[in-house]
Amino acid sequence: MQEGLSEIQNQAKDDLAKAESLDAVEQVRTRYLGRKGGIINEIIKAIPGLPPEQRSSTGKSANMLKQEISKWIEDARVKLADKEQTSEAKEMFDLSLPGEHKPYGHRHPITQTIDEIKGIFRKLCFDIEYGPEVEHEYYNFDALNIPADHPSREDFDTFYLGNKRLLRSQTSTVQIRVMEKKKPPIRMIAPGKVFRPDTVDARHASMFHQIEGLTVDEGVSFSDLKYVLTLFAQSYFGQDVKMRFRPSFFPFTEPSAEIDISCSICKGKGCSVCSHSGWVEVLGAGMVDPNVFETVGYDAEKYTGFAFGMGVERLTMLRYGIDNIRLFFENDLRFLSQF
Ligand code: DAH
């Protein structure tokens, strides 16, 4: 009988060593220690049938073996529970992994320029205004004193949506919307998208950004326009920037001017960005036409004002020496991450 017990002992040890899960350990426990049909219990039950001199020693050995196997089972359980828990925990949260690197993003260069220009004009006490991109013809043309036969109203210069709606081709629309709502004095800029069915090339896109400006008050003169735009150009391009005002025509300003700045890439010496002229046109501007004031119900005898409009892409290209407008819209991070 003793021999049989030590065989059982070895067998139980082997079985436990092979048990790789808590379920498998439980099966080993039932096989050896189960109340019904467990090997050890069967032996204990059989003791009364043994010759009297073997009964007590067999009983002792069987009990010792029972305790031993119980302990092994307990040890195996603890070990496996530990293992299962840590592998479960590992799946959820591996403390040893290095942190995931999430690089910071930043604003698009066009947004950066708009924000910077907003900052410059805020210091000059200008309000920031916005208008809709889908506009009525009235705001894009009629109210701006643009006659019905003006070339900018042609289909190939404006995206028409039907029913007198269009995608605005200039931010000058916001001048009218603001003057309809507010009484002078007015000092505002209006940044936003504009749309033109231009053939896309290095300098043209069918969507780009403008910033409109408008000041209306009693006694506003052309010298105020020059002063404000000079301050702006110096803040954006630096103190040594030179400006050139050229007479021009816009239906909503009289007199009108186009404003060039000395090319910031070549410092006026001439390069491909300024077509070797040393100057780049950045702004249209002028004194608000009295017809526009009449349309919005302002007293054109009492008030004067100046307006201006600038292209944001153009300004950004000049600042950084970018020679292709398409780069702004291709969403190529190799380009965008440089700003
Ligand atoms: N809206 C004009 C354009 O898109 C730019 C412009 C010119 C705006 C003169 C003005 C202005 O406010 O006074 O070409």
Side-chain angles (χ1 to χ4, degrees):
M1 189 46 123
Q2 293 295 346
E3 269 173 34
L5 284 177
S6 69
E7 215 171 274
I8 290 166
Q9 186 186 33
N10 288 337
Q11 189 61 49
K13 215 184 214 166
D14 272 6
D15 287 353
L16 272 175
K18 280 184 216 139
E20 281 178 350
S21 68
L22 288 171
D23 280 352
V25 171
E26 179 56 20
Q27 279 168 23
V28 175
R29 192 196 65 77
T30 322
R31 190 176 322 136
Y32 290 90
L33 306 179
R35 285 200 189 179
K36 276 189 193 159
I39 293 171
I40 305 289
N41 269 354
E42 289 303 306
I43 290 170
I44 291 171
K45 265 196 228 157
I47 288 174
L50 291 175
E53 67 277 11
Q54 287 182 17
R55 284 181 201 158
S56 106
S57 64
T58 307
K60 252 192 206 158
S61 304
N63 267 323
M64 271 168 61
L65 183 57
K66 189 176 174 178
Q67 276 167 24
E68 202 170 17
I69 295 176
S70 295
K71 187 171 178 310
W72 291 342
I73 285 173
E74 201 41 47
D75 289 351
R77 270 189 186 145
V78 170
K79 225 158 114 186
L80 281 168
D82 255 13
K83 211 165 128 188
E84 281 183 17
Q85 229 175 37
T86 46
S87 66
E88 220 172 81
K90 243 187 215 157
E91 267 168 38
M92 292 189 314
F93 197 66
D94 184 350
L95 286 171
S96 68
L97 276 177
E100 209 178 298
H101 178 63
K102 294 221 170 81
Y104 282 120
H106 64 74
R107 289 164 303 154
H108 190 281
I110 295 300
T111 311
Q112 290 183 38
T113 303
I114 291 174
D115 287 349
E116 186 178 337
I117 294 174
K118 284 198 308 201
I120 294 171
F121 280 99
R122 264 201 206 102
K123 281 194 204 150
L124 297 170
C125 294
F126 279 61
D127 295 327
I128 318 290
E129 303 278 0
Y130 297 93
E133 289 164 10
V134 172
E135 257 299 5
H136 196 283
E137 268 186 53
Y138 175 77
Y139 291 99
N140 203 77
F141 298 122
D142 303 297
L144 285 163
N145 200 34
I146 299 177
D149 59 354
H150 193 275
S152 70
R153 297 186 100 152
E154 305 270 355
D155 282 359
F156 50 81
D157 275 322
T158 305
F159 285 111
Y160 286 96
L161 303 173
N163 205 16
K164 293 201 169 278
R165 308 276 154 181
L166 44 75
L167 294 180
R168 68 176 177 193
S169 59
Q170 49 184 352
T171 45
S172 306
T173 52
V174 189
Q175 291 186 29
I176 306 298
R177 288 189 171 272
V178 170
M179 286 192 281
E180 276 182 349
K181 267 189 287 175
K182 296 184 180 172
K183 293 270 153 272
I186 284 178
R187 276 181 183 202
M188 59 139 238
I189 60 161
K193 292 183 171 61
V194 298
F195 306 84
R196 290 183 196 175
D198 284 335
T199 307
V200 177
D201 63 21
R203 306 184 104 202
H204 298 89
S206 45
M207 185 282 297
F208 57 100
H209 297 76
Q210 287 186 332
I211 297 180
E212 192 75 14
L214 175 71
T215 300
V216 184
D217 205 348
E218 287 178 48
V220 175
S221 69
F222 200 91
S223 59
D224 296 317
L225 164 66
K226 274 191 114 169
Y227 173 67
V228 166
L229 291 182
T230 306
L231 267 186
F232 159 71
Q234 288 177 345
S235 308
Y236 186 74
F237 289 109
Q239 290 299 316
D240 51 353
V241 70
K242 288 193 187 60
M243 293 180 89
R244 186 167 81 169
F245 284 67
R246 278 183 292 110
S248 185
F249 173 78
F250 296 103
F252 37 93
T253 45
E254 182 59 36
S256 305
E258 277 176 296
I259 293 138
D260 304 331
I261 60 143
S262 53
C263 179
S264 57
I265 306 303
C266 63
K267 302 276 176 246
K269 285 192 204 93
C271 67
S272 64
V273 173
C274 61
S275 314
H276 302 281
S277 70
W279 294 96
V280 185
E281 187 209 318
V282 289
L283 279 143
M287 300 305 290
V288 180
D289 192 301
N291 286 346
V292 174
F293 282 153
E294 264 154 38
T295 303
V296 296
Y298 281 7
D299 183 348
E301 293 297 322
K302 187 170 173 196
Y303 296 112
T304 49
F306 65 80
F308 57 88
M310 53 185 129
V312 179
E313 281 75 7
R314 176 71 65 86
L315 291 169
T316 314
M317 288 165 82
L318 266 179
R319 161 76 79 77
Y320 297 112
I322 298 163
D323 58 6
N324 193 337
I325 196 171
R326 285 175 284 209
L327 289 165
F328 290 125
F329 309 119
E330 285 170 347
N331 217 16
D332 186 337
L333 287 179
R334 289 171 303 180
F335 169 74
L336 295 176
S337 59
Q338 297 175 65
F339 301 95

